Amino acid sequence: MKFKQKTLDNGLTIIGEVNASAVSASVGFFTRTGSRDEMPEVSGVSHFLEHMLFKGTDNLAALEVNEAFDKIGAQFNAFTSWENTVYYAAVLPEYLADVTTLWAKLMRPRLGDDDFNMEKNVIKEEIAMYKDTPQFEVLDQCFSLHFGDHPCGNSVLGTNESIDALTSGQMRDYFNRRYSPGNITVALAGNFEFEKICDLLASACGDWKPQQTDRVRDYFAGTRKKECVVKENLVREHICLISPSVSYQDERVFAASLFGMIVGDDTGSRMFWELVDTAIAETASLQCEAMDGVGVFYSYIRTSPGAADKVMGIVEKIFTDVIKNGVSEDELQKAKNKMLSNITIKNEVPMGRLIELGFNWVYMDKYVAVAEEVKKIKAVTTADVAEIAREFSLMGYSRYSIGPKSR
Amino acid sequence: MTKRTEIFRLSNGMTVIGEPMDSVGSVAFDFFLPAGVSVIPQGLCGVSMVIKDWIFRGAGENSSRKLTDKLDSLGLHRGEKVDSKHIIVGAALEAGNITEALNLYADIILRPRLEADQFDFSKQLALAELEGLNDDPRQKTSLKLREHFYPGPLGRSPLGIKNELESLTAEKTAELIGEYFDISRAIFSIAGKYDFEKICTQIETLFGSEKTKSKSPVFETDYTPGYAYEKYDGAQVHIGLMCPTVGPEHESYYDVRVAVAILSGGMSARLFTEVREKRGLCYAIGAGYKCIKEMAGVSCYAGTTPEKAQETYDVIIAEFGRLVAGISEEELARAKAGLKSALVMQSESSSARSINAGNDYHILGRVRSLDEIKEQIENVTIESVMKFLRENPFEKFTVVTIGSKEIKI
């Protein structure tokens, strides 16, 4: 594996990890923007804009865009979160130049009114779809509850009302402010020639005008609010808990992730043994989500409405115990083994590696080789984990739950 | 050229399939145990879900807790699944830990402890999972579609039926495990970094003394189209539909795959273009090829708000019908490019390779190589697709909708 990096004069950064034995290559345009960068009057614009990039440019119609991707058999998509909008594609190595050129063109979209109005329908269907997916809805609502007035509380999708009210002019304005070359990182992974792709990007993106972009990055430990909402059509209780954690930039991020695994991994964790193994809840998990300047531990639990109080009693006991007593050597070692094995499996596919590579650069402005990551994970001690448990109390949680009846 | 698949048959009939891969550090394996939802006797629907949980609650010399601890210590990325014919248990892991992992899996499969108190937990979890289906109307649509499309036991939902699950006892379930964990009909697949000879020797040692117990069941495959509607007060109407087509063993199999890709392969495919891009009717819309050993079909899902449900359904049906009017050279080229590229990319994942090899062997009695599949896709022409579609048009749909509003079929 060889790492390479180049920054164009306008600030666009290109990074690549070359693996000459891979049978595919992937590219991602990591744009440092998401719902936390939105003002209330444009709620949902980051995600809507992600959809609009597929609608083409002044010289490329929407249908031509889709055909161009499909012609080369690209596996491609995009996603928007609270703080990132990522456009990516994986292709056979011979098509990487084509697909990178295509994305580069799409990053300067037409944003036409007809497409904008038609796509509003699709966005509202997506909002409706997630309303029928309680495990998503409960997480989204709990983020808003936990972060309150902090920008990370902004909804990614927005609401039907905010989408209806949004104008294409507002979207263009948002685009001009956020899609500045200095706010975008192009990451590449797999089998490709770095210099060739750099030349291509220099000519495709060299004339993008830089803009000053900023972001509120204040740390926030959360509101600790609790809300319980009744939704008559549900039969299970869906519970989300969010408490503070380290940011992506914090060097204790591996200790926090291992702590999350020990408390709430799908198998073998404390929540697994107390809640799932005993069939009190059918799902109970907890994980660390390190973000830009902030971070959270979040849990999702699904149980029967009648058992919700019992579940919360057990969860609080687990949390209190781990804060007081820390974790054992044995638990930490198991968590490390699982994490290391996950890394091996994920990184074997260029697409898996791409996301890690891109985010490391976006958040920390640096390259972290897999070997270095492995070393850092192995170095975590039970004292490191105990420190995380004490400093970022799981008991300081905000809770949002939906179910058939209130408790 | 891709490396050749390796196959070894134990004297008792169990098959070992290996898919060697260059430059990976992982290995993935799957045991296909012939105890799927369709093969279990009537009245016990859902027992396979209970079994797949129960067998992990202690095996051989290890208690439930010790067993999970040991599996976790090996860094196993576990996956258990119930399909129509099999309970599939498998994992992906770092290659160095495979020997120890297989020893533990031999205990899980041949010597599960099957303790009665643990059975109650497994049963409660299966019931909770079934109950939870109500809160996931999209998955419910897909299971109901399967139930209505496939006749009799072939359509059974892996999640089971409430009263049948409730009536299960530990004794009956243990008896079924004894009967249906028939090693002589089991398939073991492995992909990634491994030494095939060493694996075969280990599997032979662990499983070789197990004797034949049962015969493969035979199923009715009569198909009747129809419409089923279920009222649900959600935000969307969930539409599922499926029509019969030919299986992977058929000479026109690749013509079907290309036709389905033209309908729904990428974002330029017809369904996405007509339903989402031009009309804004849906966010989620897509069709795919589905098969079990006896039957195959093309299935389609769309989720849309109630007032758009009828139009969505009408446009989908029209697009299925319009295929027979002709396809273009460009569409054919894009469909082929998409299928081939998905194939190559999937080949980089040891987990995907292992499960595909096992499924291929179960359905076809052999494993298709990547080169063979690529060549067959390449051989498809407009004429071959059109000839197939004229003789076997996509029609006679089974339709399922779940939502606040019924549609006209």
Side-chain angles (χ1 to χ4, degrees):
Chain A
M1 304 273 185
K2 262 197 183 143
F3 176 72
K4 309 209 169 180
Q5 186 247 322
K6 186 178 178 169
T7 303
L8 302 183
D9 292 342
N10 62 7
L12 182 78
T13 300
I14 307 160
I15 56 169
E17 190 183 69
V18 182
N19 173 6
S21 64
V23 297
S24 70
S26 51
V27 59
F29 284 69
F30 289 71
T31 313
R32 203 188 310 240
T33 201
S35 55
R36 70 184 286 181
D37 305 299
E38 297 169 355
M39 297 306 284
E41 61 273 18
V42 295
S43 173
V45 70
S46 309
H47 169 253
F48 192 169
L49 177 57
E50 174 227 299
H51 278 233
M52 288 301 291
L53 252 83
F54 290 90
K55 298 295 177 190
T57 67
D58 288 337
N59 305 310
L60 205 55
L63 293 178
E64 290 175 317
V65 172
N66 294 341
E67 285 174 5
F69 277 117
D70 288 347
K71 205 167 86 183
I72 55 177
Q75 315 275 306
F76 67 106
N77 212 333
F79 62 86
T80 306
S81 71
W82 290 275
E83 52 191 14
N84 293 294
T85 311
V86 180
Y87 304 85
Y88 61 91
V91 287
L92 301 182
E94 59 266 39
Y95 296 125
L96 186 71
D98 289 347
V99 86
T100 306
T101 307
L102 182 57
W103 272 129
K105 285 182 188 161
L106 297 179
M107 296 301 284
R108 300 293 110 172
R110 180 176 59 244
L111 305 179
D113 281 348
D114 287 354
D115 291 331
F116 179 82
N117 292 327
M118 178 58 84
E119 199 62 15
K120 273 192 178 183
N121 296 303
V122 176
I123 299 288
K124 288 196 283 182
E125 286 299 335
E126 193 175 349
I127 291 171
M129 177 182 84
Y130 284 117
K131 287 239 172 300
D132 278 358
T133 318
Q135 65 266 46
F136 174 88
E137 202 194 350
V138 81
L139 175 67
D140 191 53
Q141 296 288 347
C142 197
F143 248 85
S144 298
L145 186 70
H146 176 77
F147 279 107
D149 292 334
H150 186 281
C152 287
N154 296 349
S155 160
V156 175
L157 291 174
T159 60
N160 279 344
E161 294 69 35
S162 74
I163 297 301
D164 274 334
L166 195 69
T167 67
S168 57
Q170 286 173 311
M171 181 181 280
R172 274 184 220 106
D173 176 57
Y174 177 85
F175 172 82
N176 290 333
R177 285 188 294 108
R178 302 299 305 176
Y179 279 59
S180 169
N183 212 31
I184 299 173
T185 301
V186 184
L188 303 138
N191 188 352
F192 65 96
E193 276 178 59
F194 185 73
E195 286 70 25
K196 198 176 137 195
I197 301 291
C198 282
D199 291 348
L200 177 163
L201 285 166
S203 87
C205 317
D207 62 348
W208 295 358
K209 298 274 173 296
Q211 289 274 337
Q212 184 65 36
T213 53
D214 47 20
R215 162 179 285 175
V216 179
R217 294 176 67 248
D218 300 340
Y219 188 82
F220 184 58
T223 60
R224 297 186 172 209
K225 282 187 180 164
K226 319 277 188 277
E227 213 172 299
C228 194
V229 172
V230 176
K231 221 174 157 189
E232 286 300 343
N233 63 347
L234 298 179
V235 301
R236 308 300 286 174
E237 188 76 18
H238 303 259
I239 305 168
C240 183
L241 309 175
I242 299 186
S243 57
S245 182
V246 298
S247 73
Y248 207 104
Q249 289 87 2
D250 192 314
E251 58 186 19
R252 296 172 296 176
V253 72
F254 291 110
S257 298
L258 287 163
F259 176 59
M261 268 188 134
I262 292 167
V263 177
D265 194 34
D266 289 345
T267 63
S269 67
R270 294 195 181 189
M271 285 169 79
F272 171 83
W273 287 115
E274 297 292 325
L275 294 165
V276 181
D277 184 67
T278 51
I280 296 167
E282 60 262 37
T283 301
S285 65
L286 180 139
Q287 53 192 305
C288 174
E289 176 84 6
M291 300 167 67
D292 193 7
V294 295
V296 295
F297 287 110
Y298 70 91
S299 300
Y300 170 66
I301 302 164
R302 196 171 76 225
T303 183
S304 70
D309 288 340
K310 186 177 173 188
V311 164
M312 284 312 299
I314 295 170
V315 166
E316 293 207 348
K317 209 168 135 248
I318 295 170
F319 287 179
T320 315
D321 178 74
V322 79
I323 293 165
K324 192 173 158 218
N325 302 316
V327 303
S328 73
E329 282 292 348
D330 185 48
E331 282 179 308
L332 178 62
Q333 194 53 50
K334 269 186 298 179
K336 283 182 184 179
N337 291 347
K338 283 199 270 191
M339 192 176 274
L340 293 171
S341 150
N342 286 349
I343 288 175
T344 306
I345 293 161
K346 187 177 68 188
N347 287 335
E348 278 173 6
V349 186
M351 197 71 155
R353 182 68 190 133
L354 178 81
I355 300 296
E356 190 80 14
L357 183 71
F359 280 149
N360 280 340
W361 196 272
V362 167
Y363 287 109
M364 300 187 296
D365 268 331
K366 73 172 183 189
Y367 168 66
V368 185
V370 175
E372 193 184 332
E373 200 171 304
V374 167
K375 213 168 124 189
K376 285 185 170 166
I377 292 167
K378 285 185 173 165
V380 173
T381 65
T382 51
D384 298 334
V385 176
E387 184 191 311
I388 295 285
R390 279 193 308 271
E391 192 176 326
F392 300 92
S393 171
L394 291 174
M395 287 301 289
Y397 64 80
S398 310
R399 186 187 78 209
Y400 189 91
S401 54
I402 45 176
K405 60 171 191 195
S406 55
R407 294 194 303 277
Chain B
M1 286 293 285
T2 46
K3 284 194 175 179
R4 282 179 66 87
T5 303
E6 301 158 298
I7 297 186
F8 175 71
R9 176 76 67 100
L10 267 60
S11 53
N12 65 5
M14 182 184 185
T15 309
V16 180
I17 303 165
E19 289 270 287
M21 291 164 68
D22 284 330
S23 62
V24 293
S26 75
V27 65
F29 65 86
D30 292 285
F31 287 92
F32 289 69
L33 305 163
V37 62
S38 308
V39 301
I40 299 284
Q42 202 168 357
L44 303 163
C45 193
V47 72
S48 305
M49 288 296 281
V50 177
I51 293 173
K52 93 169 163 66
D53 188 75
W54 197 21
I55 56 174
F56 280 89
R57 291 174 177 266
E61 60 179 25
N62 296 304
S63 66
S64 177
R65 185 138 202 154
K66 224 168 153 193
L67 179 64
T68 302
D69 278 355
K70 283 191 176 173
L71 294 171
D72 277 357
S73 301
L74 296 175
L76 253 69
H77 204 80
R78 268 168 59 184
E80 290 97 38
K81 189 186 157 199
V82 174
D83 75 8
S84 140
K85 306 299 160 36
H86 300 103
I87 293 177
I88 304 166
V89 296
L93 64 156
E94 288 188 271
N97 291 335
I98 185 70
T99 308
E100 218 173 318
L102 291 181
N103 285 337
L104 290 172
Y105 271 75
D107 279 346
I108 293 160
I109 293 164
L110 301 176
R111 291 170 290 278
R113 288 196 174 180
L114 305 182
E115 287 157 3
D117 53 339
Q118 295 288 337
F119 172 82
D120 293 336
F121 293 140
S122 298
K123 183 171 146 180
Q124 278 174 44
L125 281 174
L127 279 163
E129 190 91 10
L130 178 64
E131 186 103 332
L133 189 60
N134 173 83
D135 294 0
D136 188 352
R138 183 171 177 167
Q139 200 208 347
K140 192 172 189 180
T141 303
S142 123
L143 290 175
K144 281 198 92 66
L145 185 61
R146 170 190 172 132
E147 194 183 311
H148 287 277
F149 178 81
Y150 295 112
L154 291 177
R156 283 181 193 157
S157 161
L159 294 188
I161 297 170
K162 197 175 177 198
N163 60 351
E164 297 188 9
L165 261 176
E166 277 168 345
S167 69
L168 286 178
T169 61
E171 295 72 29
K172 182 69 196 166
T173 306
E175 197 184 299
L176 287 171
I177 294 174
E179 190 177 343
Y180 284 88
F181 274 25
D182 181 354
I183 298 304
S184 68
R185 290 197 291 117
I187 299 167
F188 171 77
S189 60
I190 185 163
K193 187 179 171 185
Y194 62 84
D195 175 337
F196 193 64
E197 225 178 283
K198 225 173 122 187
I199 293 291
C200 290
T201 310
Q202 191 187 0
I203 295 287
E204 177 90 67
T205 312
L206 294 170
F207 296 94
S209 59
E210 294 291 313
K211 294 286 176 272
T212 306
K213 292 172 190 163
S214 61
K215 281 190 180 146
S216 310
V218 178
F219 296 97
E220 295 290 329
T221 56
D222 295 337
Y223 171 71
T224 328
Y227 173 47
Y229 164 69
E230 187 175 312
K231 185 148 178 67
Y232 181 78
D233 233 355
Q236 288 193 310
V237 172
H238 302 265
I239 305 169
L241 44 96
M242 191 159 174
C243 68
T245 192
V246 300
E249 73 296 340
H250 196 276
E251 55 175 14
S252 296
Y253 170 70
Y254 292 94
D255 295 314
V256 183
R257 295 305 303 264
V258 165
V260 175
I262 288 171
L263 207 51
S264 188
M267 277 172 60
S268 69
R270 293 186 180 185
L271 281 178
F272 195 87
T273 304
E274 296 299 325
V275 178
R276 179 164 151 174
E277 298 285 80
K278 289 193 185 164
R279 295 178 178 82
L281 294 170
C282 292
Y283 170 73
I285 165 76
Y289 178 82
K290 294 272 162 63
C291 72
I292 55 174
K293 192 168 183 173
E294 294 77 7
M295 286 174 80
V298 183
S299 85
C300 174
Y301 168 83
T304 181
T305 39
E307 61 279 8
K308 295 177 182 167
Q310 187 66 50
E311 187 184 356
T312 300
Y313 171 78
D314 293 341
V315 175
I316 292 170
I317 290 291
E319 286 309 314
F320 268 92
R322 196 165 66 88
L323 272 179
V324 83
I327 59 174
S328 72
E329 281 291 352
E330 293 75 25
E331 283 181 309
L332 177 72
R334 290 198 301 269
K336 285 182 175 182
L339 288 168
K340 280 190 290 184
S341 130
L343 183 74
V344 173
M345 288 190 213
Q346 233 190 25
S347 77
E348 292 189 289
S349 152
S350 51
S351 303
R353 287 284 284 275
S354 169
I355 203 94
N356 287 346
N359 273 326
D360 252 24
Y361 190 83
H362 161 62
I363 290 173
L364 297 168
R366 68 189 187 91
V367 179
R368 293 168 296 178
S369 71
L370 296 177
D371 293 331
E372 175 193 335
I373 301 175
K374 262 195 263 180
E375 195 188 319
Q376 295 281 358
I377 294 170
E378 213 38 77
N379 288 343
V380 173
T381 62
I382 291 187
E383 292 69 37
S384 68
V385 176
M386 294 316 297
K387 179 171 181 292
F388 172 79
L389 286 171
R390 276 193 301 271
E391 290 164 7
N392 310 272
F394 294 150
E395 57 186 21
K396 297 191 178 126
F397 288 92
T398 296
V399 183
V400 168
T401 62
I402 295 181
S404 60
K405 212 170 144 186
E406 204 167 345
I407 57 170
K408 267 201 228 112
I409 301 301

